[in-house]
């Protein structure tokens, strides 16, 4: 085969073939515009205050409600009839746990958050993260402080939760001690830096209440999973505050149709296990004894030495769902 002569960098390369032109010009796809959501564009870059010195703001985003619909419909190929409206399709996808279309949307946040709250946040490993480094830079000179009426008591029924508040006079003393601890820790940190101690070591005694900052980029599917867990009543109050702002002030504006479906089928839905379905069926069909047998067979009605039922978390959750339906547990 004869090779073509060597060309200089400024000369066009020709293959000797004519460019491919579609027989039907209408087959050339139209140019798709970038998704733009005016309601989200209006708050782009604006910080939403959270806690005493934290914030959340949107840096950038990709996609919208329509992007979810397009991603779902393209998987069906040519010839698919658009049977449902866009809203109906989004609700179908959410209702039947089709996750991939929601992954086509992404959003990037800039957050300022206390380190103890950030520890919970960063456990969600489905995002791209870049955090402020206290090895390279001086730690942010801010720490979250607790008001005298905001000191929560340990829950007796939930080892990782809280319930109720301490008296304000006790809280006032705790708040004063908190301020003293934070100020002493900061002064020690700055003294170490002034003495020439490396930043990576000088930081080791800073309290977990110290604020950090990060860029946090995540797709819509995983963001909704994060919000479903962290907006829950059992989540810690501090991360619930951030989640509420992200959900109600940002996501609701970004993808309102998806947000509506999320609230209907995830956030405020009541899922039932097989045993819960059987119990409710037994009660509503007038067979409370059968409902009791179902619960007993699962080992959820064990008596204590005092003759009362031993504590059982699964049974408590079943009872809460029965009450939500207006039903009285028959045991």
């Amino acid at each position: 085969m004869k090779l073509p002569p060597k060309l200089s960098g400024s000369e066009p390369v020709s293959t000797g073939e004519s460019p491919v032109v579609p027989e039907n010009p209408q087959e050339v796809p139209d140019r798709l515009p970038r998704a733009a959501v005016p309601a989200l564009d209006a708050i782009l870059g604006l910080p939403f205050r959270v806690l005493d010195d934290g914030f959340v703001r949107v840096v950038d985003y990709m996609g919208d409600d329509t992007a979810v619909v397009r991603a779902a419909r393209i998987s069906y190929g040519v010839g698919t009839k658009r049977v449902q409206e866009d809203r109906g399709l989004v609700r179908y996808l959410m209702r039947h746990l089709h996750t991939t279309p929601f992954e086509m949307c992404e959003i990037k946040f800039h957050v300022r958050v206390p380190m103890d709250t950030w520890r919970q946040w960063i456990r969600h490993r489905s995002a791209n993260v870049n955090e402020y480094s206290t090895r390279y830079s001086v730690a942010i000179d801010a720490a979250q402080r607790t008001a005298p009426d905001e000191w929560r008591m340990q829950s007796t029924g939930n080892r990782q939760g809280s319930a109720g508040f301490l008296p304000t006079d006790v809280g006032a003393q705790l708040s004063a001690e908190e301020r003293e601890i934070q100020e002493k820790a900061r002064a020690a940190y700055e003294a170490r830096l002034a003495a020439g101690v490396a930043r990576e070591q000088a930081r080791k005694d800073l309290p977990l209440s110290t604020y950090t900052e990060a860029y946090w980029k995540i797709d819509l599917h995983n963001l909704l999973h994060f919000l479903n867990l962290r907006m829950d009543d059992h989540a810690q109050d501090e991360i619930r505050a951030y989640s509420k702002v992200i959900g109600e002030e940002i996501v609701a504006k970004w993808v309102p149709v998806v947000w509506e479906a999320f609230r209907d089928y995830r956030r405020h839905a009541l899922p039932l296990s097989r045993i819960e379905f059987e119990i409710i069926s037994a009660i509503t069909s007038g067979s409370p004894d059968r409902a009791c047998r179902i619960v007993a067979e699962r080992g959820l009605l064990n008596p204590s030495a005092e003759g009362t039922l031993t504590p059982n978390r699964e049974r408590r959750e079943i009872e809460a769902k029965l009450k939500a339906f207006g039903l009285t547990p028959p045991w």
Side-chain angles (χ1 to χ4, degrees):
M1 182 175 65
K2 186 177 179 180
L3 297 175
K6 186 176 181 180
L7 302 176
S8 66
S10 61
E11 297 177 29
V13 177
S14 174
T15 62
E17 299 178 358
S18 301
V20 177
V21 179
E23 295 181 3
N24 183 357
Q26 294 180 350
E27 294 178 1
V28 178
D30 295 332
R31 179 177 180 176
L32 293 176
R34 183 187 187 278
V37 182
L40 190 58
D41 289 336
I43 61 172
L44 203 65
L46 297 178
F48 287 87
R49 307 301 303 188
V50 188
L51 304 181
D52 55 350
D53 201 27
F55 64 75
V56 174
R57 60 180 163 193
V58 181
V59 177
D60 202 357
Y61 68 96
M62 181 182 76
D64 56 5
D65 282 322
T66 303
V68 176
V69 172
R70 284 176 176 164
R73 285 189 172 133
I74 202 170
S75 65
Y76 291 98
V78 179
T80 303
K81 294 182 179 180
R82 296 189 177 184
V83 179
Q84 306 176 70
E85 297 178 352
D86 288 357
R87 178 175 175 272
L89 179 54
V90 168
R91 293 176 67 81
Y92 174 87
L93 296 171
M94 184 70 69
R95 193 164 61 246
H96 292 277
L97 305 179
H98 291 279
T99 60
T100 305
F102 300 104
E103 294 174 359
M104 298 298 136
C105 296
E106 291 191 350
I107 191 166
K108 181 164 65 175
F109 298 98
H110 177 201
V111 301
R112 182 182 176 105
V113 56
M115 289 183 177
D116 60 339
T117 304
W118 182 241
R119 280 188 170 184
Q120 299 179 57
W121 198 317
I122 203 65
R123 284 179 58 82
H124 295 264
R125 300 182 297 277
S126 50
N128 304 112
V129 183
N130 197 37
E131 185 183 355
Y132 182 94
S133 173
T134 51
R135 293 188 70 194
Y136 293 108
S137 306
V138 175
I140 296 170
D141 189 10
Q144 188 220 346
R145 288 179 174 166
T146 311
D149 60 349
E150 293 180 349
W151 289 98
R152 304 188 296 273
M153 295 187 294
Q154 176 64 46
S155 171
T156 56
N158 182 357
R159 294 181 182 179
Q160 65 175 2
S162 57
F165 295 89
L166 291 169
T168 305
D169 57 338
V170 177
Q173 177 63 31
L174 294 175
S175 295
E177 293 172 350
E178 176 187 60
R179 178 182 292 270
E180 183 180 359
I181 291 170
Q182 292 173 346
E183 290 176 349
K184 285 185 176 180
R186 185 71 195 191
Y189 170 71
E190 293 181 352
R192 291 170 185 172
L193 295 179
V197 176
R199 294 188 186 101
E200 65 180 6
Q201 187 179 29
R203 63 183 177 170
K204 70 188 210 52
D205 294 313
L206 287 173
L208 287 174
S209 56
T210 306
Y211 276 94
T212 186
E213 292 187 16
Y215 283 105
W216 192 64
K217 182 171 72 70
I218 191 168
D219 67 60
L220 180 57
H221 163 61
N222 284 295
L223 176 57
L224 294 177
H225 178 67
F226 170 87
L227 294 175
N228 196 43
L229 293 175
R230 298 306 181 177
M231 291 179 73
D232 189 86
D233 293 342
H234 297 93
Q236 185 172 325
D237 281 8
E238 286 77 9
I239 200 166
R240 283 178 61 197
Y242 282 92
S243 300
K244 183 177 180 180
V245 168
I246 291 173
E248 297 177 357
E249 302 296 337
I250 296 174
V251 178
K253 293 181 174 68
W254 175 32
V255 282
V257 177
V258 171
W259 181 250
E260 177 194 43
F262 167 73
R263 285 169 52 85
D264 288 346
Y265 300 120
R266 296 281 298 282
R267 179 75 186 94
H268 299 297
L270 190 63
L272 295 177
S273 66
R274 180 170 63 90
I275 178 176
E276 290 165 345
F277 180 81
E278 291 175 353
I279 292 169
I280 291 175
S281 295
I283 295 174
T284 55
S285 63
S287 303
D289 292 340
R290 181 159 61 91
C292 291
R293 285 198 306 273
I294 294 170
V295 179
E297 289 171 357
R298 268 64 172 193
L300 305 181
L301 294 180
N302 297 324
S304 65
E306 294 78 19
T308 58
L309 293 177
T310 56
N312 184 281
R313 179 179 296 178
E314 184 178 358
R315 189 183 70 244
R316 288 200 307 269
E317 293 173 0
I318 292 173
E319 291 169 350
K321 290 184 179 181
L322 291 178
K323 291 176 182 177
F325 283 108
L327 302 175
T328 301
W331 45 85

